[in-house]
Structures are given as structure tokens and as C-alpha cells.
């Protein structure tokens, strides 16, 4: 389903906080997360155990998700992190962090690991 | 007897007071200067008054992800080295490069920022701070259009309307609202009762929970900020002409109320952040907002409208001041032959065009903050990281130099989000005798000479 | 506030209270009986509401219940809004007035304190809901303005 991704800052999912308490291996437990409206949840025939694959032409990631009734339809929110930045891009010297068009679908795969993202970045 | 008892009690209380120090928190750009620390011998026993974010800053001291030794990357794994070799290696890497870039600098003290600029001048490098992708752009517009600002104290004492435009301060600067909205100012005996809050955002954030009956919640469609600002510019003198359909997803009634509040209240502070930084359509919302403020200030009978940029890093404003004083430019400075030269480049364009051969990252985590495409470019060239904890960048950097945490393990000057300089104190000694950012950069500078 | 929904909400004052809201608050505290709201008994259209109310209050009727201010430590982020907004805090601690952290050790009247990044309830003896009279007794501002919805005022 086509959705709009907004990256935001959340105190509970702050990168700084995660890098103080967690191991590199388990970083995705808290940071690879998105928030969607329950109606979108129903529309995509999701169940809570599934994960979301989010992709656009810049990259793709798999994240966990939670539902929030205050989130508008058609919007997916993510805390700013290396995961969300796989989808952000640059336009006229400005980094686009907000209102990014993405494709969202349910998947059974587990969330993308930090190490995998690092390897993707390292590859030339 | 009674007297003696009293005396003893007094004495113990006095002892308690002497262990107690007032410090400034460097957890975010609010730089709360009223935090109380209770010390027990050389350790911190209690931290009173910080929000969770500030508390996390203190957790960094003993975090398992703290970097305590200089590290070098050999065959894809990190090796411990001693300081002399590390500094020599850093100098060697710098000397080998022709087009070095320095980036970050928002999480270090002003003294360190000054040294970083000196290094950039010495090595004819390009230096830029996080404010390039954040509030730095506002100053570019402000220099053409003009800007009205207020300090926090002004907002506490005078403001009667606070507007949060696309910034969820409850999550990013937790104590801001308790300081500016709920406190009672000098000329206002009551606090919340006379201060109105207007929140403009695309969804119902946690900040909406503090709204009361006097307040206004405006939920707008994504990417429609510029539309709304233009609309306000057009109708702020003629609210009776507002079309029935409203604008940007906000109905007519709310718009009328908004305009009435804008015109009839006294001091209005508009707080905004990342949401208005990027261009929408062919215009730039920040530019339009500054123009709107100018128009409003012209028509308002009493008081004024002012703007405050809310950033995350604790000393982002500091870099702008230091750079402006040193080079005449607040961001994106290219040095050539020891002089700063005119350039249109920013760190983003530099990285995008791969126009660099060494990056020196100070106190930030660009690998996580930048889009993957740019991170890829960044990781393709040698990188020196100066930071106190592990991060995405740590996993890629070639040379890592640890530093002490400013505001806890070393002192320094920082600028609050309203451009007020505040001194950060040293509370405890750093582990492993690691140096402060300022000292480390000074050592590198000396070695370069 | 569930109780309020089941009152006639006409503010007819027959119960001796100014509004239905005031009556429901007293009802919650167990200071009054439902029967004192006579329209509820007399008018047949309120019969449903009356039985609902009876059910809600079953077993607790007439008992004096104790005030409890609960703070959800997991949700709280130490923003200090409750510290600043509580009128009792502001009255006895000068620095709280301007949004600053209160002195340590805390004043004996102080209700909330932020410690280690989380809010802590020092005592509720001086809460307005216990010590004042009249409208001030309905104070609920700490609960209303907590941005994390971490504070709950209850009677148990
Ligand atoms: S609001 Fe910012 S400066 Fe104040 S205590 Fe929290 S993190 Fe520290
Ligand atoms: S008697 Fe009943 S209806 Fe009348 S004011 Fe009291 S609660 Fe309300
Ligand atoms: S109910 Fe009122 S007086 Fe009691 S703790 Fe809350 S704010 Fe303070
Ligand atoms: S207002 Fe709520 S979130 Fe803020 S300190 Fe008090 S309990 Fe915690």
C-alpha cells in the first residue's frame, strides 16, 4: 500500500538513549519501529505478529510496528534512526526527512539488523 | 539540651547542603541551569530535576557503549592503540588529504568549536555543523527579511501566546513547556491561566495533551504549512473574508480564532523546528513565516511576535556564533590559504558530489542521521571520529578518538536555544584521563603546527 | 466522570449542589447519597440511569474513600509540568513559581519532585483535594496537564 512516511523524534525511541543501554546486536529491537493507524492496519490485513516491509526507490527495510489511533490515515511515523534514513533522500541540497512516499506491505521476515544496514552502507 | 539538639540537626543539614551543587544539564538545547546534584565523595549520588533525556546524558558516564581508548580500524576490526600513536596517525591522515571536511561540532563546547575552526583554517578544509540541515538556514533568510527574537526569560515573563509549529517539544525538549508555559512570570501572577497555547501539527502528538480550554489545536494536512502561512498573510487583516471551506484542512471557525489571537494578544512566541526547514513546492515556509511575522508586527497595536528555533543538539547555536565571529559566516565555511572563501556548497553537496578525501566527525553520528546514499559516500573515504560513545559512525570510522563529556567531566561554554551563553560545569573526573574535546582538538592543532 | 454521565445533567439544584458535576464529585467521594438527586427517583425517564448508577456505586455506597494520586513511572518522562503547575508547590516553593527545580531538601508542603528523570510523589497531605474547601477542592490540574497521561487521581 502506498503511504507517506514521516520521521519524528520520540523520547522513548531516542537514538542516543538506545546507544547508551543496548548492544549493537539488539539495536533493532527498539529502533526499527513504525506507527500506523488501526484502520490502515485493518486495510492491509495485518496481524500483530507480522512485520512491515517499507520500501521506496532509495532503499528498503523491515520494521516492527505499533498502532496509534491519533496517527492520520495513510501516514506511517518512524523515529529518526538509521532505519528511517534508508528511505530519506536529498533534493536540492536539502535532506527530505518528512512526507516521503513509500510502499508498505506486511511480511514474515524479521526486522533488518543494524549490521546489515552498516554492510549496505559500506558497500561501494 | 534542646539547644544542643537543635545545633546538631542544623549541622547535619549544613553538611548536606555542601555536597549539593547546582549544575547545567547538557542533554538538549534548553540547557536547564537549575539541576541539583548531590555528590557522595567523588560520585554522583542523586540527580534532581533533569528530565529523562537529561538523565540519559548522565547514564553515558558508565554506559557499556562508552569509548575509553583510542581505536584504529585494521582489517575490519578495531584495535586499541595508545594516545601518542593515535594523535600521530590523525595528523598523518590530515596531512595526506587535500580536501578534508569537518562536520558535527554541535555537541561540543564553544572552546572546542573555536579550535575546530582553527584546525580547518590550518588545513584549508571545509567545516560545517549540524545546523546546516537544521536551523542554520533560518539565519540566511533572516539576514534578508529580518527576525524578531525573544529570550526564554522574555517568554516566561511577557508572552501570552505560545505557538508550537510542527515541533513536538514534549518529546524533544521535555522541560520546555514546564518552563515557558506553566511557570508564572514576573508581570503575570498566574501562569497557565493567561497563557494560550496553539499547536500546529499533522497529527495529534503528545504535546496536544497539555491543551486546555483557551487553547487551539490545528491539525493540518502534510506539506501544507506554506499554504497556511500564505493564507494567514493574505487574510490577517481581513478575517471576515475567509472562505467558508477553510484552508489546509482547518475549518473557518478555527482560522478566524487563530487570526483574532494573532492580532489581539500581546507577546506571541512562535516555536518551530525541522518541519518548516525544507522547501514546500517552489517556496520556503521559513521565508514566508518570517514575512508573516513582519506583517503582524506592523499591524499589532501592542506587543510583538517573535520566532524561536528549536534544535536538538545542545550547542548548535554556539557554532553559529563562534563561526560568525571567526569567519563572518555562520555555516558551511570553506578555507583556502587560511582565509574563508565564498562558497555555495554545504556538507550535503560536498558529500553528494564526493568532493572530499577525508572526513573528521566531531560529536555526532552522521551515518545514522544522513540518508543512506550520503552515508555511503561518507564511508567510502577515510574518516576520523571524535566522540564519547559508540554510534553508527563508530562502526565505520577508521580512527576513533574518545573524549570526556562536556558538562559532566569537563567544563565549557554553550549557547542555549535562545542564543544566551551558559557555562557548563565539571562535576567529576573523566575515566582513563581522557581529554575534553577542546583539549584534544588543541593538541591536534599543535601537532599540525 | 462516568458517574456524571448518568445524572440528569439539568443542573436543577434540587440536591443542594450548584451543578450536577459538583454532585457527581461528592458522589464519588461518598459524601452524598444518590437518592439526594430527587429527579432521578421521581421522573420515570431517568429510571435507566438510576439503576446504572446504583450498579456503579454498589457496595461502595456511603463509605468514605481515600484519595490516591498514582504516577505511572513507566510513562513519566520527568518533564516537571506537574511540579510547576500544582498550586501547592508553587505557593510554598519560590523557585517553582518561575518553572525552576525546587530546593533540596524539599519543603514539607511540596507534593511532587522530579528525581533521576522520573516524577516522585512526596506526600499528598497538602493536596488541595484534602485541605481546602469550595471550588479549590476540585483541583485536578496535575492530572489534566500531564503530557504523558501518567497521573491518575482516584478514590479507593
Ligand atoms: S530539558 Fe534538556 S536541558 Fe533540561 S533537563 Fe531535559 S535534557 Fe536537560
Ligand atoms: S438534583 Fe440531580 S439533576 Fe438536580 S442538580 Fe442535583 S444532580 Fe443535577
Ligand atoms: S490535585 Fe491539585 S493540589 Fe492536588 S496534587 Fe494535583 S495539582 Fe496539586
Ligand atoms: S507531568 Fe506527568 S510526565 Fe511530567 S513529570 Fe509529572 S507525571 Fe511525569
Amino acid at each position: 500500500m502506498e503511504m507517506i512516511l514521516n520521521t519524528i523524534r520520540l523520547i522513548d525511541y531516542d537514538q542516543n538513549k538506545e546507544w547508551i543501554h543496548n548492544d549493537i546486536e539488539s539495536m533493532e529491537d527498539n529502533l526499527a519501529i513504525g506507527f500506523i493507524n488501526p484502520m490502515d492496519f485493518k486495510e492491509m490485513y495485518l496481524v500483530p505478529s507480522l512485520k512491515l516491509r517499507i520500501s521506496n526507490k532509495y532503499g528498503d527495510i523491515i520494521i516492527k510496528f505499533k498502532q496509534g489511533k491519533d496517527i492520520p490515515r495513510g501516514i506511517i511515523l518512524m523515529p529518526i534512526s538509521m532505519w528511517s534514513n534508508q528511505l530519506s533522500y536529498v533534493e536540492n541540497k536539502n535532506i527530505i526527512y518528512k512526507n516521503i512516499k513509500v510502499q508498505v506491505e506486511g511480511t514474515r521476515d524479521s526486522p533488518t539488523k543494524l549490521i546489515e544496514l552498516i554492510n549496505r552502507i559500506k558497500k561501494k | 539540651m534542646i539547644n544542643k539538639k537543635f545545633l546538631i540537626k542544623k549541622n547535619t543539614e549544613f553538611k548536606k547542603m555542601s555536597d549539593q551543587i547546582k549544575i547545567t544539564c547538557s542533554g538538549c538545547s534548553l540547557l536547564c541551569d537549575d539541576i541539583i546534584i548531590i555528590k557522595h565523595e567523588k560520585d554522583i549520588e542523586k540527580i534532581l530535576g533533569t528530565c529523562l533525556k537529561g538523565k540519559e546524558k548522565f547514564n553515558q558516564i558508565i554506559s557499556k557503549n562508552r569509548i575509553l581508548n583510542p581505536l584504529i580500524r585494521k582489517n575490519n576490526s578495531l584495535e586499541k592503540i595508545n594516545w601518542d600513536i593515535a594523535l600521530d596517525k590523525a595528523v598523518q591522515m590530515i596531512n595526506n588529504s587535500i580536501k578534508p571536511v569537518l562536520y558535527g561540532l554541535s555537541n561540543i563546547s564553544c572552546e572546542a568549536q573555536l579550535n575546530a575552526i582553527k584546525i580547518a583554517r590550518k588545513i584549508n578544509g571545509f567545516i560545517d555543523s549540524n545546523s546546516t540541515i537544521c536551523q542554520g538556514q533560518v539565519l540566511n533568510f533572516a539576514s534578508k527579511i529580518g527576525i524578531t527574537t525573544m529570550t526564554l526569560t522574555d517568554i516566561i515573563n511577557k508572552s501570552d501566546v505560545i505557538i508550537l509549529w510542527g515541533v513536538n517539544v514534549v518529546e524533544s525538549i521535555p522541560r520546555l513547556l514546564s518552563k515557558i508555559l506553566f511557570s508564572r512570570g514576573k508581570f503575570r501572577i498566574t501562569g497557565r491561566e493567561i497563557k494560550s497555547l496553539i499547536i500546529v501539527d499533522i497529527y495529534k502528538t503528545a504535546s496536544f495533551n497539555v491543551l486546555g480550554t483557551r487553547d487551539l489545536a490545528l491539525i493540518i494536512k502534510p506539506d501544507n504549512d506554506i499554504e497556511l502561512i500564505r493564507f494567514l498573510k493574505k487574510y490577517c487583516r481581513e478575517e471576515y473574508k475567509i472562505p467558508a471551506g477553510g484552508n489546509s484542512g482547518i475549518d473557518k471557525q478555527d482560522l478566524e480564532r487563530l487570526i483574532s489571537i494573532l492580532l489581539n494578544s500581546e507577546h506571541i512566541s512562535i516555536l518551530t523546528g525541522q518541519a518548516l526547514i525544507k522547501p514546500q513546492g517552489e517556496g520556503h515556509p521559513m521565508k514566508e513565516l518570517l514575512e508573516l511575522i513582519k506583517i503582524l508586527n506592523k499591524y499589532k497595536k501592542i506587543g510583538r511576535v517573535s520566532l524561536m528555533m528549536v534544535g536538538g543538539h545542545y550547542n548548535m547555536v554556539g557554532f553559529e556564533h563562534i563561526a560568525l565571529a571567526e569567519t563572518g559566516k555562520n555555516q558551511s565555511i570553506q578555507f583556502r590559504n587560511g582565509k574563508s572563501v565564498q562558497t555555495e556548497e554545504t556538507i550535503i553537496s560536498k558529500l553528494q558530489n564526493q568532493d572530499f578525501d577525508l572526513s573528521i566527525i566531531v560529536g555526532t553520528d552522521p551515518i545514522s542521521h544522513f540518508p543512506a546514499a550520503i552515508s555511503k559516500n561518507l564511508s567510502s573515504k577515510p574518516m576520523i571520529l571524535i566522540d564519547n560513545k559508540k554510534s553508527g559512525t563508530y562502526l565505520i570510522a577508521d580512527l576513533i578518538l574518545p573524549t570526556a563529556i562536556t558538562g559532566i567531566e569537563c567544563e565549557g561554554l554553550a549557547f542555549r536555544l535562545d542564543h544566551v551563553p551558559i557555562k557548563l560545569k565539571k562535576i567529576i573526573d573523566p575515566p582513563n584521563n581522557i581529554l575534553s574535546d577542546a583539549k584534544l582538538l588543541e593538541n591536534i592543532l599543535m601537532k599540525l603546527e | 466522570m462516568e458517574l456524571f454521565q448518568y445524572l440528569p445533567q439539568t443542573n436543577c439544584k434540587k440536591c443542594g449542589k450548584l451543578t450536577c458535576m459538583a454532585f457527581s464529585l461528592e458522589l464519588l467521594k461518598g459524601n452524598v447519597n444518590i437518592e439526594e438527586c430527587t429527579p432521578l427517583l421521581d421522573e420515570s425517564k431517568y429510571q435507566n440511569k438510576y439503576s446504572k448508577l446504583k450498579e456503579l456505586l454498589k457496595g461502595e455506597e456511603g463509605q468514605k474513600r481515600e484519595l490516591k494520586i498514582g504516577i505511572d513511572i513507566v510513562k513519566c518522562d520527568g518533564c516537571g509540568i506537574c511540579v510547576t503547575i500544582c498550586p501547592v508547590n508553587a505557593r510554598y516553593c519560590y523557585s517553582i513559581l518561575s518553572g525552576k527545580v525546587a530546593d533540596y531538601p524539599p519543603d514539607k508542603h511540596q507534593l511532587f519532585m522530579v528525581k533521576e528523570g522520573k516524577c516522585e510523589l512526596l506526600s499528598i497531605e497538602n493536596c488541595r483535594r484534602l485541605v481546602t474547601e469550595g471550588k479549590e477542592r476540585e483541583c485536578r490540574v496535575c492530572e489534566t496537564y500531564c503530557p504523558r497521561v501518567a497521573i491518575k487521581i482516584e478514590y479507593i
Side-chain angles (χ1 to χ4, degrees):
Chain A
M1 192 170 101
E2 186 138 298
M3 287 179 98
I4 288 175
L5 172 76
N6 263 298
T7 61
I8 50 170
R9 222 167 258 291
L10 291 171
I11 196 167
D12 293 338
Y13 301 96
D14 194 43
Q15 291 183 70
N16 279 338
K17 185 180 149 194
E18 299 308 328
W19 278 104
I20 289 168
H21 298 294
N22 286 345
D23 289 321
I24 290 163
E25 288 75 37
S26 62
M27 206 60 76
E28 77 274 5
D29 285 354
N30 279 314
L31 281 178
I33 195 161
F35 300 88
I36 57 169
N37 187 295
M39 297 292 278
D40 288 330
F41 173 83
K42 275 194 200 123
E43 209 163 277
M44 283 190 280
Y45 306 112
L46 292 175
V47 288
S49 65
L50 283 182
K51 306 285 180 284
L52 289 183
R53 181 192 297 279
I54 311 183
S55 57
N56 62 6
K57 65 177 171 192
Y58 303 99
D60 70 301
I61 47 169
I62 299 168
I63 56 166
K64 295 188 292 188
F65 65 95
K66 281 189 178 167
Q67 303 175 48
K69 63 175 180 353
D70 292 332
I71 294 153
R73 294 287 308 271
I75 284 190
I76 174 161
L77 298 174
M78 275 186 79
I80 299 174
S81 65
M82 206 183 291
W83 282 266
S84 75
N85 277 325
Q86 300 299 312
L87 307 164
S88 58
Y89 56 97
V90 177
E91 198 180 85
N92 295 334
K93 287 206 260 179
N94 284 296
I95 299 183
I96 309 298
Y97 285 124
K98 310 248 175 204
N99 305 323
I100 303 164
K101 280 206 183 75
V102 289
Q103 282 293 332
V104 180
E105 60 193 80
T107 172
R108 278 183 197 285
D109 300 344
S110 53
T112 324
K113 290 255 180 210
L114 181 75
I115 297 296
E116 198 190 321
L117 295 182
I118 291 285
N119 286 339
R120 272 190 216 170
I121 286 169
K122 266 189 186 164
K123 234 181 267 160
K124 283 165 206 161
Chain B
M1 273 310 274
I2 294 164
N3 259 346
K4 219 176 181 179
K5 243 185 184 170
F6 183 67
L7 219 97
I8 291 165
K9 193 172 168 243
K10 258 268 154 86
N11 265 342
T12 50
E13 232 169 58
F14 184 70
K15 193 165 167 281
K16 250 187 204 164
M17 298 291 282
S18 67
D19 290 344
Q20 176 178 334
I21 32 173
K22 261 213 165 123
I23 60 138
T24 304
C25 170
S26 57
C28 72
S29 57
L30 188 59
L31 294 175
C32 298
D33 50 3
D34 51 358
I35 308 302
I36 296 171
I37 293 274
I38 316 274
K39 267 181 89 172
H40 179 72
E41 280 156 16
K42 280 194 167 167
D43 295 324
I44 298 170
E45 193 180 296
K46 267 191 207 128
I47 309 161
L48 301 170
T50 58
C51 65
L52 205 54
K53 209 172 168 181
K55 177 73 186 13
E56 296 295 351
K57 183 95 189 182
F58 285 91
N59 286 346
Q60 270 186 34
I61 309 171
I62 45 158
S63 154
K64 59 181 167 194
N65 283 335
R66 180 95 195 254
I67 312 170
L68 292 168
N69 292 295
L71 299 164
I72 192 161
R73 191 174 301 276
K74 274 188 189 146
N75 308 329
N76 255 334
S77 65
L78 286 168
E79 260 174 45
K80 268 187 205 171
I81 45 172
N82 73 22
W83 271 105
D84 290 332
I85 301 174
L87 283 184
D88 285 342
K89 178 76 188 161
V91 169
Q92 186 202 336
M93 282 168 87
I94 293 172
N95 282 337
N96 283 346
S97 84
I98 310 160
K99 295 180 287 184
V101 293
L102 279 87
Y103 176 70
L105 311 155
S106 301
N107 268 334
I108 57 175
S109 63
C110 289
E111 291 88 346
Q113 288 167 345
L114 183 61
N115 286 338
I117 293 175
K118 280 182 186 158
I119 290 179
R121 189 191 290 275
K122 179 91 203 151
I123 62 179
N124 289 325
F126 178 83
I127 187 167
D128 210 343
S129 89
N130 300 52
S131 82
T132 313
I133 55 169
C134 191
Q135 50 179 294
Q137 302 173 15
V138 179
L139 285 177
N140 299 346
F141 291 119
S143 61
K144 291 181 202 108
I145 305 164
I147 187 168
T148 337
T149 56
M150 256 185 175
T151 62
L152 273 188
T153 326
D154 271 341
I155 299 182
I156 294 173
N157 288 336
K158 291 186 191 157
S159 269
D160 52 0
V161 176
I162 291 164
I163 302 179
L164 304 177
W165 197 307
V167 46
N168 184 5
V169 288
V170 166
E171 305 273 5
S172 54
I173 307 191
R175 286 192 67 206
L176 187 68
L177 285 182
S178 94
K179 285 203 160 185
I180 63 171
L181 182 67
F182 291 94
S183 59
R184 292 85 169 159
K186 244 181 214 145
F187 313 115
R188 314 253 186 228
I189 303 136
T190 52
R192 189 70 180 97
E193 294 85 352
I194 61 105
K195 279 181 187 160
S196 296
L197 180 69
I198 300 173
I199 304 184
V200 187
D201 217 318
I202 60 158
Y203 77 108
K204 199 167 164 280
T205 62
S207 304
F208 280 69
N209 288 338
V210 303
L211 288 170
T213 42
R214 308 169 42 91
D215 305 333
L216 199 55
L218 304 172
I219 295 192
I220 64 169
K221 290 187 206 145
D223 259 350
N224 257 344
D225 307 78
I226 195 159
E227 194 67 12
L228 180 61
I229 300 169
R230 282 193 181 135
F231 181 87
L232 289 175
K233 260 166 73 182
K234 187 169 167 202
Y235 288 102
C236 69
R237 297 285 292 151
E238 315 168 307
E239 62 258 48
Y240 52 88
K241 278 191 189 161
I242 291 178
N247 185 285
S248 315
I250 302 169
D251 58 21
K252 187 179 178 211
Q253 232 177 353
D254 280 346
L255 285 171
E256 277 172 351
R257 224 178 121 201
L258 176 63
I259 288 177
S260 145
I261 293 176
L262 284 179
L263 286 178
N264 300 326
S265 55
E266 276 183 37
H267 292 280
I268 302 172
S269 323
I270 303 178
L271 276 65
T272 174
Q274 276 280 356
L276 299 189
I277 292 296
K278 92 168 220 242
Q280 295 175 350
E282 64 282 15
H284 200 294
M286 214 62 232
K287 178 167 160 272
E288 303 275 334
L289 186 63
L290 285 169
E291 281 168 8
L292 172 68
I293 291 174
K294 209 171 169 188
I295 296 172
L296 285 173
N297 277 334
K298 203 156 112 197
Y299 291 125
K300 273 176 84 66
K301 290 184 195 78
I302 36 169
R304 60 180 174 159
V305 188
S306 59
L307 182 74
M308 188 153 101
M309 288 301 299
V310 178
H313 298 299
Y314 76 85
N315 200 10
M316 200 188 275
V317 182
F319 183 80
E320 291 179 10
H321 283 266
I322 301 290
L324 212 53
E326 272 289 297
T327 67
K329 220 172 153 228
N330 68 328
Q331 51 171 343
S332 311
I333 305 142
Q334 173 76 59
F335 285 102
R336 222 159 268 151
N337 301 328
K339 287 199 187 71
S340 98
V341 293
Q342 191 69 32
T343 174
E344 285 294 304
E345 301 244 37
T346 67
I347 186 74
I348 307 295
S349 64
K350 276 264 183 193
L351 297 185
Q352 211 176 7
N353 306 331
Q354 303 226 24
D355 186 16
F356 70 106
D357 55 7
L358 168 75
S359 57
I360 305 172
I361 310 294
V362 189
T364 189
D365 182 13
I367 294 289
S368 307
H369 295 220
F370 283 158
I374 294 214
S375 300
K376 261 179 210 162
N377 291 351
L378 189 58
S379 69
S380 66
K381 302 276 162 71
M383 185 198 289
I384 303 176
L385 172 68
I386 300 177
D387 205 349
N388 50 42
K389 65 169 189 338
K390 294 182 189 171
S391 62
T393 313
Y394 166 92
L395 298 172
I396 279 173
D398 299 295
L399 179 66
I400 297 157
L401 305 174
T403 54
I405 304 169
T406 311
I408 300 175
E409 294 165 350
C410 58
E411 52 179 25
L413 189 76
F415 276 73
R416 199 165 66 186
L417 75 174
D418 56 349
H419 299 240
V420 173
I422 289 182
K423 191 100 193 135
L424 301 174
K425 282 185 197 156
K426 174 179 172 167
I427 313 162
I428 52 170
D429 290 327
N432 267 8
N433 288 326
I434 44 182
L435 300 171
S436 67
D437 299 292
K439 195 84 192 127
L440 177 62
L441 289 168
E442 199 187 318
N443 285 353
I444 294 177
L445 183 63
M446 259 156 41
K447 286 226 169 192
L448 282 171
E449 280 164 359
Chain C
M1 275 315 81
E2 225 174 332
L3 295 180
F4 175 65
Q5 287 170 15
Y6 296 112
L7 286 176
Q9 303 179 9
T10 50
N11 297 343
C12 73
K13 300 192 181 65
K14 280 184 192 149
C15 60
K17 299 279 174 287
L18 275 178
T19 58
C20 293
M21 183 63 95
F23 184 78
S24 70
L25 283 175
E26 293 294 319
L27 204 58
L28 192 66
K29 287 178 218 161
N31 291 347
V32 290
N33 277 330
I34 327 173
E35 283 72 22
E36 282 172 48
C37 170
T38 43
L40 213 49
L41 292 178
D42 300 344
E43 292 174 42
S44 54
K45 62 178 170 187
Y46 295 135
Q47 213 165 29
N48 258 344
K49 288 187 167 183
Y50 176 63
S51 48
K52 261 273 159 51
L53 264 179
K54 264 282 193 209
E55 218 170 88
L56 275 174
L57 290 169
K58 201 189 264 170
E60 301 170 15
E61 221 173 305
Q63 275 176 24
K64 273 260 180 221
R65 282 173 298 165
E66 222 175 283
L67 171 71
K68 185 176 165 265
I69 300 181
I71 300 176
D72 188 337
I73 291 295
V74 180
K75 282 186 192 160
C76 170
D77 66 357
C79 69
I81 285 178
C82 54
V83 181
T84 315
I85 190 103
C86 176
V88 183
N89 274 0
R91 182 154 172 196
Y92 292 101
C93 313
Y94 185 72
S95 48
I96 287 181
L97 263 183
S98 51
K100 286 203 179 334
V101 174
D103 296 336
Y104 186 83
D107 186 281
K108 67 173 192 292
H109 295 280
Q110 195 177 331
L111 292 173
F112 297 107
M113 179 170 86
V114 176
K115 192 170 134 189
E116 310 280 333
K118 295 279 178 187
C119 181
E120 197 178 279
L121 188 65
L122 297 171
S123 76
I124 50 166
E125 279 163 42
N126 295 302
C127 171
R128 283 197 164 182
R129 299 188 78 87
L130 294 174
V131 296
T132 54
E133 287 303 325
K135 211 167 165 255
E136 280 189 355
R137 211 184 165 98
E138 280 151 40
C139 179
R140 200 174 260 275
V141 284
C142 53
E143 190 191 63
T144 317
Y145 289 120
C146 172
R148 300 260 151 203
V149 207
I151 301 184
K152 227 181 182 85
I153 296 179
E154 296 170 304
Y155 283 88
I156 47 166

